[in-house]
Amino acid sequence: MRLLLSSQIARTLLSLSSRAMSSSSYKSLLREKAFVNGQWVNAANGESFPVYNPANGELVCKVPDMGAADATAAIAHAQVAFEAWRGKTPSQRAALLHSWERLIQDRCEDLAALMTLENGKPLAESRGEVAYGASFIRWFAEEGIRVTGQTLQGPTPDKRIFTLKQPQGVCGMITPWNFPAAMITRKAGAALAAGCTVVIKPAEDTPLTALALCQLAADALLPPGALNVVTCSRSRAAEVGRVLTTDPAVKHVSFTGSTDTGKLLLAQASSTVKRVTMELGGNAPFIVFDSADVDKAVAGLIQAKFRNTGQTCVCPNRIFLQRRVSQKFLAKLCERVAEMKVGDGFEAGTQLGPLINAAAESKLERLLADAKQRGGRVLAGGQSVKVGSGAGHFFQPTVVSGLGRDSACFREEIFGPLVAAFEFDSEADVVELANDCRVGLAGYFYSADVGQCWRVAEQLNVGMVGVNESMVSSCIAPFGGWNESGLGSESGVGYGIEEYLNLKTVVLNLA
Ligand code: ADP
């Protein structure tokens, strides 16, 4: 009994101290204004919108609800800044980016707390995202120094041909809430290193991490106007988005978010023929073949599926289990799932934070109802969870098996902690099933058969494949989707920075 009491007290103290640490530390980076041309500014219309903590529904603060005029002004400042920024040497730009990256690393705890506060993800995941986000800035600082063109032979004796790569200009960026830091650094790091300047509209749910990054960029002495953040509510996203995708001064639109919004932005950007980078939704297959190491496959699924409470575009969406291994896999998975802790991201030991909002919970409930109606069996979870005041939207990690191609979980991106399992017989069958969708971002499979590893990796119609591995993203690896999952690549050797460079051919006459 005494042991029990003391362990309870220890847990409470741990949780109190982690809350106290977090709530005091993030305030030093909390900014309630937008960041344009190196200044902290309000919206021209004087309006603001609220940012809530998704774990408890409490108001964190308000930030400017900017509109078209603010976006246009930010683009104009970024255009002026571009003329000076492009004139710096790549090494000078790299030095400033390295300073920014170091400050981000130094303030990891504060940034992580801010991220958990507005996004809800467990603090440990937020810390991981800060390091992951910083890695892109470091990577691109170094990529920028190594941009090269070519020297080509001429078509006639008196000619030589060169290619140059030059920064495009102002880049408009629209980012999602699920990675409030990394989706900004992966885009802005590449663009800035290439010599471009940027205007970012962060997601309305998570503007605070974006603004904190601006403060650190200012502290790192990035010149005013190089990095601008225009904040706005969901009701003004279309207005601001229209300016970012149609203003002739913007030369590139980079977007991460839903396929539907991406298609709209793509159409808008076509009016002035902008370069685009689109990182859109996925419907990742996760295949476990009979030969697989089941423990590894279960661990891989847990890691990739439940990260960020299942709210990432590369989350395994359709879990395909070969018939012989299916029961064993599901039993082990359910054992692990039963141990997972759902709670406030600030609570020690939390593995699953809240869903981002009520709409996300309704979607999960709809998908689950559809699965049950079509004969799916709920093997674990299946309910929402009340945490604290009950104002957050928490959901049990859930496993449903026995699904078919007609289920909504097969067609839609789940974006939540719901494992939807399907069975298959042969390699050919599962490749056909996996490729039966219009998107193609990530895909994963587990197999001990080397020949099968090659065959299936080649046959999946996706931009990224994990073979006996469920983490496919790093600054080193090109990140991008096929088909309706997007256009272009972010990060990787050459690819990520190339997105922000124009190619120029110079023909020199020697005569
Ligand atoms: P989600 O539904 O997960 O929020 P979205 O694709 O709608 O995914 O949102 C991703 C980003 O796109 C957010 O920053 C959001 O504000 C922005 N967004 C949504 N609709 C539009 C739009 N019509 N124009 C510009 N940006 C938009």
Side-chain angles (χ1 to χ4, degrees), residues 333-362:
L333 177 67
C334 290
E335 252 173 51
R336 291 282 305 273
V337 158
E339 293 163 0
M340 293 186 84
K341 181 179 168 192
V342 179
D344 188 315
F346 285 114
E347 297 282 348
T350 292
Q351 287 159 289
L352 285 172
L355 295 164
I356 192 70
N357 52 31
E361 186 174 347
S362 310

Side-chain angles (χ1 to χ4, degrees), residues 174-177 201-205 234 237-238 240-242 255-258 261-262 264-265 268 415:
I174 299 178
T175 56
W177 48 265
K201 188 208 88 57
E204 52 281 356
D205 313 89
R234 185 67 166 207
V240 169
R242 181 168 290 281
F255 171 72
T256 297
S258 63
T261 302
L264 175 80
L265 298 177
Q268 289 175 184
F415 237 63

Side-chain angles (χ1 to χ4, degrees), residues 56-125:
N56 55 25
E58 285 172 14
L59 178 71
V60 178
C61 68
K62 290 186 169 186
V63 297
D65 194 2
M66 296 177 129
D70 302 287
T72 304
I75 292 166
H77 286 300
Q79 179 62 45
V80 172
F82 172 61
E83 297 308 327
W85 185 244
R86 75 186 311 189
K88 288 192 183 295
T89 64
S91 298
Q92 287 171 326
R93 288 195 291 264
L96 290 164
L97 290 171
H98 279 302
S99 302
W100 188 25
E101 184 241 331
R102 270 194 303 276
L103 289 176
I104 292 172
Q105 299 274 23
D106 289 350
R107 303 295 295 274
C108 178
E109 282 304 308
D110 303 347
L111 277 169
L114 202 52
M115 202 186 297
T116 293
L117 193 71
E118 63 177 349
N119 166 287
K121 65 175 71 180
L123 204 50
E125 281 191 34

Side-chain angles (χ1 to χ4, degrees), residues 30 48 54 56 60-61 89 102 128 147 151 236 243 291 297 333 340 347 353 395 411 424 433 444 447 460 478 509:
L30 182 72
S48 58
N56 55 25
V60 178
C61 68
T89 64
R102 270 194 303 276
V147 168
T151 310
R236 288 212 166 91
V243 174
S291 65
L333 177 67
M340 293 186 84
E347 297 282 348
F395 211 86
R411 297 272 156 223
F424 69 93
L433 277 167
Y444 312 86
S447 165
L460 292 179
N509 192 318

